[in-house]
Structures are given as structure tokens and as C-alpha cells.
Amino acid sequence: MENSINDLLQEAQVYYQSGAWKQAADSYESVLNQCEDPLLCGQVCSAIGAIYQEQGEPNIAVRNYEQAFEAYQKAEPEMNAEERHQMAGLSNNLGNLLAALRQYKAADAYFRAAVKRYEALAETDEATFQPYLALTVFNRAQAAARGGDHYNWRKSIKQAVALYEGLVKQKPVFQPYLGNALTSLADSYTDEDPLMAELYWKQGIRAYEAALSNDPSVLPLIAAGYNNLAFAQKQERAYSKAVLSYTQALEAYNNLAETRPEDFQPFVANTYNNLGVLFTEMGEREEAILNYERALKEYDALETQQPGLFLPYQATLYHNLGVLYDEKQAFKEALPYYQRALRQRQVLAADHPEGFMPDVAVTALNMATLFQSLLELTADMQYQAEGLAMLPVIESALSQIEQESPALASMQSDLAYFRDFFSNVQYPTLEAARLMREIALWQEEQLSTLEHNEKLSWQHKIVDALATYHQQHPGHRSMEEELAQAYAFQAWLLLLAGQTSEALIPAQKAVALNPTDPQPFVNHGHIQLMLGNLGEALKSYNHVKTQITADKKRVVGLVLDDLKVLTDCGLDQGLAEKVGSALQTQQAIA
């Protein structure tokens, strides 16, 4: 029988080495049917498990590995060190396989079994078994991370770091493994403590860099390390440090892409994109645009080599560039980026509506916002037509989003707003909004100058523009109020310039346009006072107190402040004191 088992074992091994999996499994099963030695049974079950793992049958592989482990447990008291090593290795392999199947609790039990046995082996032969112990502890940590067991992830990975630090002192060849453990430890802090994450990313990168001269294969790990370091620094809002780290990642990826562009050009593109996102957060739009454009150039080149693969990234970049130009109010520059993003996202949504239809809706809504801005900016009614054309695009996209969410409700609300706006907007309202934006710019210029004549010149321009609008669109109440305020301020500036007679006409126009605003009446009173018409001045002041506002203190304060200014412009001091005294004693001014 022994010879028969040996023959079957040799036969199975020949089949296994040639890749004849079924025949190898059948031969091993025949051995198993005759096997009485638990150690041999364990080895055979392990070999059968390896066959099914090789064939992509992980569940069958697990069953055979578990049978092997049970057999090894029976044989364990008589095992030598090499056989215990086989058992611990099997347990580690089972842990990895179960973790891949998302059976994390079962995986952890086998990892713990492997750790226990390697710890015992390392006590008698540290040089041989400490590396296996470190690797098993590391694997346990990674499985815990994937399973969401943060406590055991952190606990195990710290143990792995300590083991690899000891190994590196003896053999520098373990530097990459130390780097892997340190970067995993850094990753465990990413969400809760960016400062700790930064510390361990830096240590991990240093471990990789120490190995670089002897092992060039770690360069991708260095590049990835800098990328992740930058992310941690961005979370800390340490933006300058993050820019430097992304730049170092970019340098490494560019070096790798020179010899292996098919593998690393996507990482170059992604790092440019990361820089774009970072500069956007920093509020540096021009730098963000520059890096997004560089990323887009890389993705465009990749798209010609592998059509369709990088389309989602291109679409997002076009959208983000549209947003940046939009925020700069460079609306016409933003439009072609949005249009390209919309076309690409519609292509993607045709095949994967659940994944990309929300993106279609977002870009289309941004375009509607853009057309509203252009319409209000230029009062060009062609943008009303373009805005109306976007409505069915938005409506169609939103109707295909099945899952209810606050974001969907918000987009539906936006659609209702745009439907109302573009359907009901009228040219006079748009022209008023356009004019007021232009006047706001003129007022900034007016405030920035110290020359009174220049201030007056700007006010004449503002009055002329508002008066022209009023003539073309009579009855627009809010614009009449704006014109009244403009006349009132024009009258005040003329008064300060010593042009008292000229100030009377805009003051009278202001009163006529807005008889419920106190300022035109107060200014009218000031002008009459400067002209020596005390009675007319008192009538205006009294009208404000009795007919316009009950806030007598406000009127008193307003007039007194103005009188101080006007005495410096030639108002008779005695006349000013007479009016001021009457106001302060709350006497009727009549």
C-alpha cells in the first residue's frame, strides 16, 4: 500500500507541475482515500486546496485547506520545525483566502493561529522564522483593515512595524517591508488624525528611499507615498507642504512614465488632477486651471491609446474647468468646457445611467446657471432660448435617477426655479440688472478716488445711465428709487462743490421720484439753507420729521452731521446753529 501511495503521489505531482489540474486532484484524492498518517493527509489536502485555488475555486480551496489544518492539528505534537512551518504557512494562507472572500472573522482566527505558531518557532530560530512572523502579522492587519476592524488593524500593524524594524537592523533587504507596514499604519490614521498620518507616511517613504538603490521596484511605492502624504497634509490644511509632496509624487511618476508610459502615465494625469483640486481649495484658480489642463492633456493622450477607458476622468476635468472659469465670471470661456463635459457624461450615462446620470444633471444645471448669468450680464435674449433648451435635458436626467436623496430633491428644486426664471424673464428686468451691475463698478471707481471733481463726474455718469433707463422703461419702481437716490447724491456732491444753484434741480427731481425717502428732502433743505431760504429749508426738515419718519433722533443726527460739513463749505454758522438748536430741543421747525 505504501508503494501505491508513493506512486500516486509522484503521479499527482507530475500532473500538478504540468497544469493537468483535474488529473492531479484525482490522484491526490486517491492518496487521501488510502491515507492514515495525519501529517500526510494534511499535506495532500493542502495540495488539493492549492489546485482549486489555482483554478479560481476559492470556496472549494478553503474547504480542503480547513481539512488540511484539522489533519495537521492531529499530527502537531510529533511535528518537527519544518512541518510546523508548513502548518503555520497553511494557516496564514487560509487567512488571506478567507479575507479575500470577506469572511473576516474566520480569517482572523487562522491568522492568530499562524502568529501563535510562528512566535513559537521564532523563539528557537529567530533568523529563519521572524520574517514569516512579521509577514503574517502584517497580513492580519491588512485583513482587519479591509473588514473595518480598526482596533485590530492598528494593533497588528504596530506589531508588524516593530518586527520589521528589528529585521531591518539585521538585514536592510527588509526596508521595503518596513515601508509597507509604516504606510499601512499611516493609512490607519488618515481619517482621524492627519498629523499622525503625515508622520508615518514620511517614515514609510524614508524606508522605501533607503531601499531604492538596491531595489528600484520601490519607486512606485515612493510616488504613491508622496501622493498619500500630500492628501494627509491637505486634510491638515498644510497646503504649501501638500503642494511640495504632490510635486515630488509627480516627479517620481514622470520618471516611471519615461520607461513604462502605459503603466504610469495615468498616475501622472491623476497627480496633476490632485494638484488642481488642491489649488482649487486654496483659492488659487489660475494654478488650478493650469494643472487641470495638464491632467487633461495626459488623459487626452491616454484616450487615443485606450478609447473610452479614461472618459470619466476627462468628463470630470472638463466640468471642473467649467466651474473654475464660471467662478471667475469668465462665462463664455466656461461654456465650451461645460458643453464638452455634458456630451461625455451623456455618453457614459447611456451605458451606465445609475452611475453617470446624476453627473449629467449637475453639468446641465451648471449650464443653466451660466445661461442665467450671461442673460443677466448682457440682456441678450438668445441666452433665454439656450436656458430654455437646457430644461428638457435636466428634466430627462433627473427622471432617470431612481434613488431618492436630498441631492435629487435639491436638483428638482433648481429645475423648478430655472423653469420659472427662463419662462417669465423680461427684457426690462434684465436690462435693469445689467445696468445695476455696471453702476456698482462705477461706484467702486467713485469710492477709490479722492478728487471731488472725479467723484462728481462719476455721479453724473450714473445719473445719466439711470435717467436713460427710466425714460425707456417708465414705471419700473425699484429703478425709480435708484434714480432718486442717484439724484439726491448728485445734489449733495454739487452742494459740496459750491454749485448750490445747480444742486437744486437734481434735489427737486429726487423728491418728486421718491417722496417717501427722507434723504432727498433733507438734501433739498440743505440747498435752500445754503441759498439763504430758511423758510423753505425748515419746511423740508419738518416734512421729514412729521410726514416721512417717526424716528426723530435719526433725522436730528442726519441733519446735524450734514450741517457740520456744510459750515466748512460756507454755510453761515449762526444759521446752522439756529437750525441745530431747534432740532436738538425737539422744537417744531416751522
Side-chain angles (χ1 to χ4, degrees):
M1 181 177 293
E2 188 68 28
N3 290 334
S4 177
I5 288 178
N6 287 336
D7 290 342
L8 287 169
L9 283 171
Q10 290 178 3
E11 179 181 83
Q13 289 168 359
V14 170
Y15 284 135
Y16 186 93
Q17 290 170 359
S18 64
W21 307 120
K22 185 179 183 308
Q23 294 89 332
D26 289 342
S27 296
Y28 279 129
E29 289 287 354
S30 297
V31 173
L32 207 56
N33 290 335
Q34 302 178 40
C35 181
E36 297 179 358
D37 178 5
L39 177 60
L40 178 60
C41 291
Q43 293 169 336
V44 171
C45 286
S46 181
I48 295 171
I51 289 171
Y52 284 110
Q53 187 174 355
E54 192 74 35
Q55 289 182 287
E57 298 279 358
N59 290 303
I60 301 175
V62 165
R63 288 200 298 271
N64 282 277
Y65 283 143
E66 288 177 334
Q67 290 173 10
F69 189 76
E70 289 173 7
Y72 278 143
Q73 282 181 308
K74 295 176 183 177
E76 189 170 11
E78 306 300 325
M79 282 182 176
N80 60 34
E82 181 56 35
E83 290 161 350
R84 292 177 190 276
H85 177 28
Q86 289 178 12
M87 184 179 182
L90 170 69
S91 187
N92 178 56
N93 191 28
L94 250 175
N96 285 327
L97 194 53
L98 286 164
L101 293 170
R102 299 185 180 181
Q103 298 178 34
Y104 299 111
K105 187 174 180 179
D108 192 62
Y110 281 107
F111 282 129
R112 282 188 283 110
V115 168
K116 177 182 175 182
R117 286 163 177 80
Y118 277 129
E119 284 176 337
L121 287 165
E123 286 180 4
T124 58
D125 188 351
E126 182 178 307
T128 301
F129 294 110
Q130 194 85 335
Y132 294 103
L133 173 60
L135 181 60
T136 304
V137 172
F138 177 83
N139 289 343
R140 184 189 180 200
Q142 298 307 97
R146 293 198 298 274
D149 183 355
H150 206 90
Y151 173 78
N152 277 316
W153 176 17
R154 181 82 53 77
K155 179 182 176 182
S156 294
I157 203 61
K158 284 184 174 180
Q159 185 184 358
V161 167
L163 289 166
Y164 279 122
E165 284 177 338
L167 287 166
V168 163
K169 291 177 182 177
Q170 301 167 20
K171 294 182 180 180
V173 71
F174 288 105
Q175 285 282 8
Y177 297 92
L178 175 59
N180 292 341
L182 285 164
T183 54
S184 179
L185 181 56
D187 200 20
S188 77
Y189 284 102
T190 295
D191 294 328
E192 65 182 60
D193 192 341
L195 277 170
M196 290 298 290
E198 179 183 9
L199 172 68
Y200 287 117
W201 282 118
K202 287 180 176 178
Q203 291 183 15
I205 291 167
R206 283 200 296 271
Y208 290 138
E209 289 176 337
L212 184 59
S213 59
N214 295 320
D215 185 3
S217 68
V218 299
L219 185 56
L221 300 176
I222 293 172
Y226 277 119
N227 215 5
N228 291 319
L229 172 61
F231 180 76
Q233 291 165 333
K234 186 175 73 165
Q235 285 184 300
E236 299 170 43
R237 300 185 183 277
Y239 293 127
S240 297
K241 292 196 291 184
V243 169
L244 177 60
S245 296
Y246 275 136
T247 303
Q248 289 172 300
L250 188 61
E251 181 181 357
Y253 281 132
N254 273 319
N255 289 336
L256 289 161
E258 287 181 5
T259 54
R260 294 166 58 190
E262 68 285 354
D263 292 328
F264 291 104
Q265 195 172 354
F267 291 96
V268 172
N270 182 62
T271 306
Y272 277 128
N273 179 68
N274 289 343
L275 276 164
V277 172
L278 177 62
F279 281 119
T280 300
E281 288 189 21
M282 294 168 66
E284 296 188 21
R285 290 197 190 97
E286 295 303 325
E287 285 293 331
I289 288 171
L290 178 64
N291 282 280
Y292 279 145
E293 292 281 12
R294 287 169 174 168
L296 199 53
K297 182 179 178 181
E298 297 291 334
Y299 280 126
D300 286 344
L302 287 164
E303 180 67 16
T304 62
Q305 300 162 22
Q306 297 172 284
L309 184 61
F310 298 97
L311 194 58
Y313 305 102
Q314 291 174 291
T316 299
L317 280 164
Y318 279 116
H319 178 88
N320 289 346
L321 281 162
V323 169
L324 286 171
Y325 280 109
D326 203 343
E327 290 175 348
K328 288 175 61 180
Q329 298 190 1
F331 301 123
K332 292 184 178 180
E333 288 85 348
L335 183 57
Y337 287 107
Y338 279 142
Q339 290 171 328
R340 184 75 175 269
L342 181 63
R343 288 195 298 271
Q344 291 180 332
R345 287 180 161 177
Q346 286 172 323
V347 169
L348 290 163
D351 294 328
H352 304 285
E354 70 288 346
F356 293 101
M357 200 58 73
D359 292 340
V360 172
V362 168
T363 300
L365 282 165
N366 279 22
M367 290 178 69
T369 305
L370 181 72
F371 290 132
Q372 178 185 4
S373 298
L374 283 167
L375 187 56
E376 292 175 340
L377 183 66
T378 65
D380 186 339
M381 299 308 285
Q382 71 164 338
Y383 294 117
Q384 180 190 30
E386 298 208 46
L388 288 168
M390 291 309 303
L391 300 182
V393 178
I394 300 167
E395 189 168 7
S396 173
L398 294 179
S399 69
Q400 296 179 64
I401 301 174
E402 297 180 358
Q403 187 172 358
E404 294 291 331
S405 68
L408 176 60
S410 176
M411 289 191 285
Q412 289 169 333
S413 175
D414 290 343
L415 173 60
Y417 166 79
F418 285 124
R419 187 181 289 116
D420 178 70
F421 174 82
F422 286 115
S423 299
N424 298 312
V425 68
Q426 296 179 345
Y427 177 77
T429 304
L430 291 171
E431 179 60 17
R434 184 204 63 76
L435 178 58
M436 291 311 299
R437 277 196 299 274
E438 191 170 14
I439 286 174
L441 296 176
W442 297 345
Q443 288 171 333
E444 287 181 12
E445 293 290 338
Q446 187 183 48
L447 285 170
S448 69
T449 181
L450 299 176
E451 294 294 328
H452 189 80
N453 287 337
E454 289 184 16
K455 288 182 183 291
L456 190 55
S457 177
W458 280 111
Q459 193 61 26
H460 289 331
K461 187 174 183 177
I462 291 168
V463 166
D464 290 346
L466 287 167
T468 299
Y469 179 89
H470 178 60
Q471 185 179 10
Q472 294 172 347
H473 307 288
H476 196 298
R477 186 58 195 150
S478 66
M479 293 301 283
E480 286 179 346
E481 291 174 356
E482 292 289 345
L483 178 57
Q485 291 177 18
Y487 276 133
F489 190 49
Q490 184 183 44
W492 175 251
L493 290 176
L494 286 166
L495 191 59
L496 296 181
Q499 302 177 44
T500 307
S501 298
E502 292 86 343
L504 185 59
I505 295 175
Q508 291 170 334
K509 288 182 177 180
V511 167
L513 279 167
N514 195 5
T516 61
D517 184 359
Q519 188 64 61
F521 281 93
V522 169
N523 283 3
H524 184 265
H526 294 338
I527 294 166
Q528 294 294 348
L529 203 58
M530 291 291 285
L531 290 171
N533 301 326
L534 178 60
E536 290 298 319
L538 295 176
K539 282 182 183 180
S540 291
Y541 295 143
N542 189 51
H543 179 80
V544 175
K545 288 185 66 176
T546 60
Q547 303 298 320
I548 296 180
T549 178
D551 188 355
K552 294 180 174 57
K553 287 185 177 180
R554 178 172 178 269
V555 174
V556 171
L558 181 68
V559 174
L560 288 177
D561 288 344
D562 287 354
L563 291 178
K564 289 177 183 177
V565 175
L566 292 174
T567 54
D568 293 335
C569 296
L571 176 65
D572 180 76
Q573 183 72 35
L575 203 55
E577 289 175 356
K578 183 176 181 180
V579 174
S581 176
L583 287 170
Q584 289 176 310
T585 57
Q586 298 295 306
Q587 296 175 4
I589 306 175

